[in-house]
Amino acid sequence: MKKIIKVGCLFVIIISFLAGFGCYWFVWHPNTTVKDDGIIYIRQGDSFDVVVQTLLSKGYVINEYTLRKVANLKRYPQHIKTGRYRITDSMNNNQLINLLRSGKQEAVRLTFNNIRTLEDFAGTLSHQLAIDSAEFLTFARDSASVAPYGFTTDNFIGMFIPNTYQIYWNTTLPDFIKRMYREYRAFWTPERLAKTEQARLSPHDVLTIASIVEEETNIPQEYPVIAGVYVNRLRKGWRLEACPTLKFALGDFSLQRILEKHKYVDSPYNTYRNMGLPPGPVRMPSIQVIDATLDYTRHQYMFFCAKSDFSGRHHFSRTLHEHNNYAAVYHQALNRKKIYR
């Protein structure tokens, strides 16, 4: 009888050990190997098999069989959540499935700058987020969609302040728009709004002027000076006669030389023919240029002309006669370089 009890106890111990080892092997034994950033994307409509194949194609999962078993036990195939997830080295199946089942994503550091058009921006969004570029452009071009945010289809690009933002990869377009609008509102602090009032401009006006300034020069020291020229022209009731607005109207930012024929283009962005500011920004202005525009230099300059050394710097003038002299020298320099457009 004692032998039977001993054998029975030994059998129970062996079974318990095997069960414990099996449980450890399936649930808690490390089952991932990650040598890169560990990022995977789970898209809308992805099945459990697609998720597994994604993990295998990346080489992240060591034992597919144990992963599937634990996933089924935890009912993960019925609770797949889209998102951008970071897999770390030596995760066990329990940790991996808990991560994917919880929907705890790794946020994207969405960075955008040096954007000229909404089409460019749509491409940036579709590259970094799960936002369809065509869907974004349809929204941006619909006046009824942008009006609740206080914008028109012409100035909507100004709502997006170039910076780096933490955003979940699978953020929907409506949520993205709402987030960017909150960021826009936060950007226009009481201090910045006070400066717009002092200048007798609106935030939309400032964004439009800043966009023109940024197209005029890449010399930061000149940003506030050029902004001051345009403010002077507005206050005197002059046409802006800003070359970047012609390039925007023509859809050709590669133009190095504005010709007389360009000045007759029929467009509300042609500031050689139309008074006041164009309908909206000609690019997405950076924070640096927006702030430089708010802090524009108070001076009496009414003109500026690129220097003939092609340094990117400008001569500033109070009189048309002085400006024409600088312009003649610059045009001669363009001719010597055979730049005719």
Side-chain angles (χ1 to χ4, degrees):
M1 190 64 166
K2 289 183 178 180
K3 286 184 178 180
I4 294 175
I5 293 173
K6 286 181 179 180
V7 171
C9 288
L10 181 60
F11 181 75
V12 171
I13 291 171
I14 292 172
I15 293 299
S16 298
F17 173 78
L18 291 175
F21 179 77
C23 186
Y24 167 79
W25 183 260
F26 274 77
V27 180
W28 292 295
H29 181 71
N31 195 31
T32 64
T33 175
V34 178
K35 304 300 181 185
D36 54 19
D37 61 9
I39 295 296
I40 67 165
Y41 295 88
I42 299 177
R43 294 171 168 80
Q44 188 70 37
D46 281 358
S47 65
F48 176 54
D49 284 335
V50 170
V51 174
V52 172
Q53 287 306 312
T54 299
L55 291 165
L56 291 174
S57 67
K58 292 273 195 174
Y60 293 159
V61 170
I62 300 169
N63 190 317
E64 178 186 354
Y65 178 75
T66 62
L67 174 69
R68 285 183 176 275
K69 285 296 183 182
V70 173
N72 284 322
L73 284 171
K74 298 179 79 70
R75 300 181 60 80
Y76 173 62
Q78 291 79 43
H79 299 280
I80 293 174
K81 295 181 179 178
T82 62
R84 176 181 185 268
Y85 299 91
R86 184 181 295 277
I87 312 303
T88 57
D89 195 40
S90 298
M91 294 179 80
N92 59 48
N93 288 328
N94 189 56
Q95 292 171 322
L96 177 55
I97 296 304
N98 282 348
L99 171 67
L100 299 179
R101 198 175 187 275
S102 70
K104 292 181 180 177
Q105 303 180 55
E106 179 86 3
V108 173
R109 285 174 57 83
L110 173 66
T111 299
F112 55 90
N113 52 58
N114 198 28
I115 300 289
R116 273 205 169 110
T117 65
L118 282 171
E119 288 77 12
D120 293 338
F121 189 46
T124 296
L125 292 181
S126 65
H127 180 70
Q128 297 191 55
L129 301 174
I131 290 178
D132 182 72
S133 58
E135 183 185 6
F136 172 79
L137 288 174
T138 298
F139 182 96
R141 291 167 177 163
D142 180 17
S143 58
S145 295
V146 302
Y149 297 95
F151 289 86
T152 67
T153 54
D154 290 314
N155 63 26
F156 185 56
I157 193 172
M159 193 181 84
F160 305 96
I161 306 297
N163 212 329
T164 296
Y165 303 93
Q166 295 279 343
I167 295 181
Y168 288 121
W169 170 78
N170 62 343
T171 297
T172 64
L173 178 60
D175 286 343
F176 174 74
I177 297 297
K178 291 174 185 175
R179 167 69 186 279
M180 289 295 97
Y181 181 62
R182 290 197 301 271
E183 297 290 348
Y184 172 82
R185 293 288 299 272
F187 174 79
W188 287 103
T189 61
E191 180 183 12
R192 286 190 172 107
L193 289 174
K195 290 179 180 180
T196 66
E197 291 179 6
Q198 290 169 8
R200 301 196 298 278
L201 299 169
S202 71
H204 290 318
D205 295 337
V206 171
L207 291 168
T208 299
I209 295 171
S211 73
I212 298 171
V213 171
E214 193 160 3
E215 282 293 326
E216 292 282 18
T217 184
N218 57 6
I219 308 298
Q221 295 87 339
E222 289 193 352
Y223 293 156
V225 186
I226 293 176
V229 171
Y230 286 127
V231 171
N232 286 346
R233 290 180 183 178
L234 286 171
R235 292 206 175 139
K236 285 184 176 289
W238 290 20
R239 292 183 177 86
L240 289 188
E241 298 190 351
C243 294
T245 65
L246 285 185
K247 294 179 183 180
F248 183 87
L250 294 164
D252 187 356
F253 291 99
S254 68
L255 286 175
Q256 294 179 275
R257 187 168 189 166
I258 295 298
L259 304 177
E260 196 64 28
K261 65 178 182 179
H262 295 145
K263 299 176 183 179
Y264 293 96
V265 61
D266 184 16
S267 168
Y269 285 87
N270 183 352
T271 56
Y272 279 81
R273 296 183 66 180
N274 302 308
M275 298 296 294
L277 291 169
V282 296
R283 65 171 296 125
M284 187 184 292
S286 67
I287 291 176
Q288 183 180 16
V289 183
I290 296 171
D291 283 337
T293 300
L294 287 170
D295 292 323
Y296 69 91
T297 306
R298 274 68 171 173
H299 55 56
Q300 294 182 333
Y301 296 133
M302 299 299 295
F303 307 93
F304 61 96
C305 175
K307 291 188 174 182
S308 58
D309 60 2
F310 297 98
S311 63
R313 296 181 180 276
H314 294 80
H315 292 291
F316 294 88
S317 307
R318 293 180 175 84
T319 67
L320 180 60
H321 176 75
E322 185 181 14
H323 170 70
N324 285 340
N325 288 337
Y326 286 132
V329 174
Y330 180 62
H331 290 153
Q332 290 170 7
L334 289 173
N335 292 337
R336 285 195 296 272
K337 285 185 171 288
K338 298 183 179 180
I339 298 174
Y340 300 119
R341 65 174 301 277

